[in-house]
Amino acid sequence: MSEPLLAVEALCTSYGKIRILRDVALQVGQGECVALLGLNGAGKTTTLRSILGLTTPRSGTIRFDGADITGWPAYKVARLGVGYVPEGRRMFKDLTTLENLQLAENGRGGGWTIARVLEHLPKLAELRARRSGRLSGGEQEMLAIGRALVANPRLLLVDEPSQGLAPLVVEEVYRILGELKQSGVAILLVEQNALLALKIAERAYVLDSGRVVHAGPAAELAADRDRIRTLMGLEVAAS
């Protein structure tokens, strides 16, 4: 693989005296989708938070487009072009769909304007005047993706996008993520449903107790369900 867009090396992160991540190493290439899998408590969200600067690593290195961003505050990481779709969506619930998008614009410029997001996600256009607290879970997930896009990220960190959503809504969310990958946006995808994530990803990492226990092509892991069960015990039903 050519020079990665994101490179994480020997990352260790703790909450107080409790060590969560232990020498985590991973890479995401330009325009690549990489799945980050593991059970609840394995350290997946902490990995994203460490990359974003929301949680300060204890040690290790995080490089984005060649620059060492280890320990940078979140606003500086975001300005470089790292977007975040958090678990639980985290809307400003008293603001409308459109107002949530307007707040997320950062003036950095790029192809993802609010108009393009609303064209790309027509459901949001229909709901532009509705308060986000009145949106369904799937609608909020689409808004969370749209909110990240208007900042024109080069890398999108997506945390559990299928959580709590009906199967048809999950299918739509993953269709959107697939289109984003095709447009050149790199994605680091945290997901409980292993096969769902492996369908869209080129490569996959598996975390267990804060350590990387598997790294390799997504297609190879998807084809070996016994291996998935051994590594993770994750949901492996066809999806």
Side-chain angles (χ1 to χ4, degrees), residues 195-215:
L195 288 185
L196 192 61
L198 293 171
K199 283 181 179 179
I200 193 176
E202 282 85 17
R203 294 185 301 109
Y205 296 88
V206 180
L207 288 180
D208 183 23
S209 301
R211 297 183 185 276
V212 174
V213 296
H214 174 85

Side-chain angles (χ1 to χ4, degrees), residues 66-86:
D68 187 344
I69 63 169
T70 313
W72 279 27
Y75 75 91
K76 289 186 67 176
V77 176
R79 285 178 180 173
L80 282 179
V82 181
Y84 185 34
V85 180

Side-chain angles (χ1 to χ4, degrees), residues 14 20 42-44 54 61 66 78 125 151:
S14 301
I20 305 299
K44 305 184 301 296
L54 296 171
T61 304

Side-chain angles (χ1 to χ4, degrees), residues 22-62:
R22 303 169 183 270
D23 295 317
V24 168
L26 61 83
Q27 295 184 355
V28 181
Q30 303 276 353
E32 182 184 34
C33 180
V34 173
L36 182 60
L37 308 173
L39 293 170
N40 285 333
K44 305 184 301 296
T45 295
T46 299
T47 301
L48 298 190
R49 290 180 59 88
S50 299
I51 294 167
L52 286 160
L54 296 171
T55 300
T56 303
R58 180 175 178 179
S59 59
T61 304
I62 303 166

Side-chain angles (χ1 to χ4, degrees), residues 106-112 150-152:
N106 63 8
R108 199 165 62 89
W112 287 103
V150 296
N152 284 281

Side-chain angles (χ1 to χ4, degrees), residues 13 22 27 29 59 78 99 108 121 133 160 172 188 236:
T13 301
R22 303 169 183 270
Q27 295 184 355
S59 59
E99 288 168 340
R108 199 165 62 89
L121 305 175
E160 302 287 5
E172 175 66 9
L188 179 57
V236 294

Side-chain angles (χ1 to χ4, degrees), residues 48-151:
L48 298 190
R49 290 180 59 88
S50 299
I51 294 167
L52 286 160
L54 296 171
T55 300
T56 303
R58 180 175 178 179
S59 59
T61 304
I62 303 166
R63 301 186 70 84
F64 180 75
D65 200 18
D68 187 344
I69 63 169
T70 313
W72 279 27
Y75 75 91
K76 289 186 67 176
V77 176
R79 285 178 180 173
L80 282 179
V82 181
Y84 185 34
V85 180
E87 182 181 8
R89 294 105 198 184
R90 300 182 187 177
M91 305 288 100
F92 290 100
K93 293 185 178 181
D94 290 332
L95 299 183
T96 66
T97 294
L98 181 59
E99 288 168 340
N100 270 275
L101 294 174
Q102 289 170 333
L103 279 178
E105 285 187 297
N106 63 8
R108 199 165 62 89
W112 287 103
T113 62
I114 289 178
R116 184 183 176 196
V117 166
L118 294 179
E119 180 182 358
H120 197 73
L121 305 175
K123 188 65 175 178
L124 294 186
E126 296 174 14
L127 299 168
R128 69 176 72 198
R130 183 174 297 181
R131 290 186 180 184
S132 63
R134 296 181 57 208
L135 302 179
S136 69
E139 291 163 352
Q140 287 190 1
E141 188 66 37
M142 291 179 196
L143 177 53
I145 293 171
R147 183 181 58 185
L149 286 177
V150 296

